Amino acid sequence: MISDLKQKVFGKNSTKSVALIGLLVVAMCILCILFIDYPVMYFVAKHQDGLVREVFYRLTDAGHGTPYFVIIIFVLIAASICKYFDFNYLEPEKLNKIIIICLFLLAALIVAGIAIHVLKVLFGRWRPDTMIYTGLSGFSWFNFSHDAKSFPSGHSQLIWTVAVSLLLIYPRLIIIYLVTAILVSLSRVMLNQHFVSDVLLGAYLGSIVPILINSYILLPRGLNISLIKKTR
């Protein structure tokens, strides 16, 4: 049953699943905007604790993109150098796979990141903390201000792009990936940096990009990024 679900979501015929989940996410976002976002924002603002905020500040750092790009680019350069100099103790097939995985990760992060930032400017939604301190709320279309880049959440997008990409590469650590992604996304709400709907859409967009890249670019070309060998 699990393998069938994985094939539907991550396989070549993933378009329908992605579209259906997308419609569900949009519906959930609308419901959150209408009924959930503001009550949660006021509750968090009223009940914030110093220790809790400090914990979530630490967690939210995992949603910054710089460390991921540095690591991926470093590994990509190292693997490319090893391949170029043809070191005998490194198998060419493994080096090729490392390079493909690095390029896949970079493509997923860049494409998802661009999409998120375009939507942030397009919707121009004021952040929860901005609303609390200034009274500005709602959507301010085509706004480049940092305070009006709440929808969707960039941190949620990034951590879910990383989580789903790693799930495609090495699925055995799925619990770690999902728990980390959920906690980082939750931190954005608990710090009043984002509304619940921001996090939902960011998580969805961050998840579908690596799935679509794998389904429509890598798999049709016979490029397998999974590190798990299939057993019959």
Side-chain angles (χ1 to χ4, degrees), residues 20-37 125 151 195-201 203-204:
L20 290 175
I21 296 173
L23 290 175
L24 177 61
V25 170
V26 169
M28 291 173 64
C29 286
I30 294 173
L31 288 174
C32 286
I33 291 170
L34 294 174
F35 303 109
I36 297 176
D37 283 351
R125 189 182 195 185
F151 186 80
F195 295 101
V196 175
S197 56
D198 304 341
V199 167
L200 284 176
L201 187 58
Y204 171 72

Side-chain angles (χ1 to χ4, degrees), residues 100-108 165 168-169 210 213-214 218 225:
I100 291 170
I101 288 174
C102 288
L103 292 175
F104 161 70
L105 289 169
L106 285 175
S165 297
L168 291 168
I169 296 167
I213 289 176
N214 184 56
L218 299 183
I225 57 173

Side-chain angles (χ1 to χ4, degrees), residues 97-158:
K97 189 152 196 172
I98 292 173
I99 292 172
I100 291 170
I101 288 174
C102 288
L103 292 175
F104 161 70
L105 289 169
L106 285 175
L109 288 170
I110 291 171
V111 171
I114 291 174
I116 282 291
H117 282 86
V118 169
L119 291 175
K120 280 177 176 287
V121 173
L122 173 63
F123 287 105
R125 189 182 195 185
W126 297 103
R127 294 180 183 272
D129 59 349
T130 301
M131 178 180 173
I132 292 171
Y133 293 115
T134 68
L136 293 170
S137 64
F139 296 85
S140 174
W141 308 98
F142 299 100
N143 194 326
F144 287 86
S145 170
H146 173 75
D147 291 334
K149 290 184 178 179
S150 185
F151 186 80
S153 167
H155 281 68
S156 298
Q157 167 265 305
L158 187 137

Side-chain angles (χ1 to χ4, degrees), residues 32 36-48 52-53 56-57 59-60 125 127-129 132 150 152-156 160 181-203:
C32 286
I36 297 176
D37 283 351
Y38 293 138
V40 170
M41 177 194 70
Y42 287 121
F43 177 84
V44 170
K46 186 177 180 179
H47 295 88
Q48 280 187 338
V52 173
R53 282 183 64 84
F56 281 113
Y57 266 122
L59 285 170
T60 206
R125 189 182 195 185
R127 294 180 183 272
D129 59 349
I132 292 171
S150 185
S153 167
H155 281 68
S156 298
W160 280 97
I182 290 170
L183 287 175
V184 172
S185 300
L186 179 62
S187 74
R188 305 308 289 163
V189 176
M190 296 303 295
L191 294 173
N192 258 341
Q193 291 297 305
H194 286 286
F195 295 101
V196 175
S197 56
D198 304 341
V199 167
L200 284 176
L201 187 58

